[in-house]
Amino acid sequence: MKILYYIDSLQRGGAEIQALDVCRNGARFGLEITAVTGRSGALENDFRNSGVEFIRLQRKFPVDLYLASQLRKIIKERGIEIVHGYQPVDGIHLYLASRGLRKVKRVLSFQGFIQDKKNRLAARFLIPRMHANISVSHGLSRWLAETDHLETTPNFIVIYNGADPARMERSGARIRAEIGLGKDELLIGMVANFYRDPRKDHLTVCRALPQVFGEVPNVHCIFAGGIEPGAEEKMADCLNFCLENDIADRVHFVGSRSDISDILSELDVFVFSSLYEGLPVAVSEAMLAGVPMIVSEIGPLLEATANGRYAETFPVGDHAELARKLTGLLQDPEKRTRLSSESQRHAAKNFSIDAHLRSLSGLYANLLQ
């Protein structure tokens, strides 16, 4: 099957990492992939070295007709059978590029809730014009229908995100040594970017830390993730809270990282505090790495953890309950070991790149029948 992926920007976000994992592994499932981008980003070299044909174009306008014409040329010259995008801007350009090409099937993935009115309008236009729309969780499908008022019944399918275990191999970096931790100190961490929109909830984790630190004196916390333009104040709120509560020496903000696998391998507990999600790749990565987790009680995260069977959970924004459960987990090494092994097996079956590609290649094959 000949597939074209258009990924508008190659920043280190969940959608881009998911597309990268597909590019690296798709050939094993019969996918001949051409990856195209309209803008560069931190992952460009990774895509260039992914084993697929990579083409970088230049998007100059929000809806760029010349870019669409270039995509159409690529589709026709390479005999592309399916075009696939990961956000509305991808979908708009793929729709324009493939319009009138009756044998070309269009697929659009929904990775999370839609941030603004412009993208909601684009999604509403695109959904009936796609041959298939992919939601990464049942919880996200409900959110898109009930909150964004999108039609998610006729041509929607749920395919869980899947992380590539090969990408989780360690490079040898040592985050504990970098931040000066001793061998007897515990480390908790959250891997998530700071976004402008209400998505991740780092501040609730910060608010839980004084109580955790008071009861577990040998623990530190790390936040790994970049700062989206416009989200600087959210980062500043977290840092100011830590300074004002005299815990800044035990809380480490390390920014955007390329060594996430190394960081996960050194965590005693992975924390994922969120307001809205699709099904984050970071959670799949942590489960595959065998890190015991505590996550917010939102639909997609409960779905990923089998309603809390494979992780501790806490009510959204409830820093006191997060502190109580996090403290209990840190003080119970046997429970951490059990959650680690059970969640790792669960993730290997449901959230690995192979599980994702089995479902994805099956969808593609059905569309081409």
Side-chain angles (χ1 to χ4, degrees):
M1 289 177 280
K2 295 186 176 183
I3 317 296
L4 185 147
Y5 281 141
Y6 177 67
I7 309 109
D8 187 67
S9 177
L10 302 182
Q11 299 307 315
R12 203 176 293 278
E16 293 80 7
I17 290 173
Q18 181 64 84
L20 177 61
D21 282 353
V22 170
C23 288
R24 285 172 167 165
N25 293 275
R28 293 190 291 110
F29 290 80
L31 306 184
E32 184 180 336
I33 297 173
T34 299
V36 184
T37 187
R39 293 185 292 174
S40 185
L43 291 175
E44 179 166 336
N45 285 336
D46 296 273
F47 274 91
R48 288 190 182 278
N49 297 321
S50 66
V52 305
E53 180 184 25
F54 174 80
I55 301 170
R56 178 151 69 88
L57 303 177
Q58 185 67 43
R59 180 167 70 87
K60 297 181 179 179
F61 306 103
V63 178
D64 193 320
L65 296 179
Y66 178 65
L67 184 143
S69 72
Q70 290 177 295
L71 287 171
R72 188 179 184 89
K73 183 179 179 182
I74 292 168
I75 292 168
K76 295 174 74 173
E77 287 180 346
R78 286 158 179 78
I80 296 295
E81 298 170 280
I82 292 174
V83 296
H84 190 156
Y86 281 81
Q87 54 182 326
V89 66
D90 304 349
I92 287 290
H93 288 92
L94 289 175
Y95 169 71
L96 292 172
S98 62
R99 188 178 180 184
L101 303 179
R102 294 184 179 180
K103 293 184 179 181
V104 178
K105 306 301 181 182
R106 294 184 288 269
V107 179
L108 181 62
S109 287
F110 288 82
Q111 293 283 322
F113 81 102
I114 301 176
Q115 301 176 27
D116 54 46
K117 183 178 180 180
K118 177 181 69 175
N119 281 297
R120 282 192 293 273
L121 289 172
R124 192 167 290 118
F125 171 82
L126 288 168
I127 286 171
R129 292 166 175 83
M130 296 292 115
H131 296 91
N133 296 280
I134 297 173
S135 172
V136 296
S137 67
H138 295 283
L140 176 61
S141 294
R142 287 191 293 271
W143 171 269
L144 293 173
E146 295 169 5
T147 304
D148 289 330
H149 306 295
L150 299 177
E151 181 57 63
T152 61
T153 48
N155 57 353
F156 259 77
I157 183 173
V158 171
I159 297 179
Y160 291 135
N161 279 338
D164 183 0
R167 185 166 48 77
M168 305 311 298
E169 294 179 359
R170 296 185 59 183
S171 68
R174 302 286 295 180
I175 192 65
R176 286 175 176 267
E178 182 180 324
I179 62 178
L181 261 62
K183 63 179 182 179
D184 296 325
E185 293 180 286
L186 297 170
L187 182 61
I188 63 177
M190 178 168 168
V191 177
N193 293 330
F194 287 85
Y195 292 104
R196 292 187 304 270
D197 52 280
R199 198 183 315 182
K200 310 300 191 240
D201 185 17
H202 301 75
L203 189 56
T204 289
V205 180
C206 292
R207 286 174 171 161
L209 292 177
Q211 181 179 335
V212 174
F213 290 166
E215 298 187 42
V216 189
N218 63 331
V219 64
H220 283 239
C221 180
I222 185 172
F223 290 98
I227 307 171
E228 185 180 61
E232 294 83 1
E233 193 169 317
K234 292 184 177 183
M235 162 67 174
D237 287 343
C238 289
L239 185 56
N240 288 337
F241 180 89
C242 294
L243 290 168
E244 290 166 2
N245 286 271
D246 198 27
I247 60 171
D249 60 327
R250 296 169 68 179
V251 184
H252 311 273
F253 296 88
V254 298
S256 181
R257 306 283 296 213
S258 60
D259 58 342
I260 297 303
S261 58
D262 297 282
I263 291 175
L264 290 174
S265 72
E266 296 194 80
L267 292 182
D268 294 287
V269 177
F270 178 79
V271 185
F272 204 81
S273 177
S274 186
L275 303 172
Y276 304 105
E277 289 293 344
L279 197 153
V281 172
V283 168
S284 302
E285 291 174 343
M287 295 175 80
L288 286 168
V291 188
M293 292 193 304
I294 180 165
V295 301
S296 304
E297 292 172 358
I298 61 174
L301 295 183
L302 291 174
E303 192 173 332
T305 61
N307 205 32
R309 178 178 177 181
Y310 300 110
E312 286 280 18
T313 67
F314 67 97
V316 175
D318 190 338
H319 68 273
E321 185 65 4
L322 171 58
R324 185 183 72 80
K325 289 196 171 182
L326 185 52
T327 298
L329 198 52
L330 288 167
Q331 294 175 336
D332 190 345
E334 290 185 2
K335 186 172 186 177
R336 295 203 306 272
T337 299
R338 177 180 60 79
L339 284 176
S340 170
S341 60
E342 291 182 353
S343 66
Q344 192 172 40
R345 287 194 297 270
H346 177 66
K349 182 179 180 180
N350 296 282
F351 306 120
S352 68
I353 190 60
D354 281 16
H356 177 79
L357 277 165
R358 278 193 293 271
S359 297
L360 188 63
S361 59
L363 170 64
Y364 291 163
N366 288 336
L367 290 177
L368 294 176
Q369 286 180 352

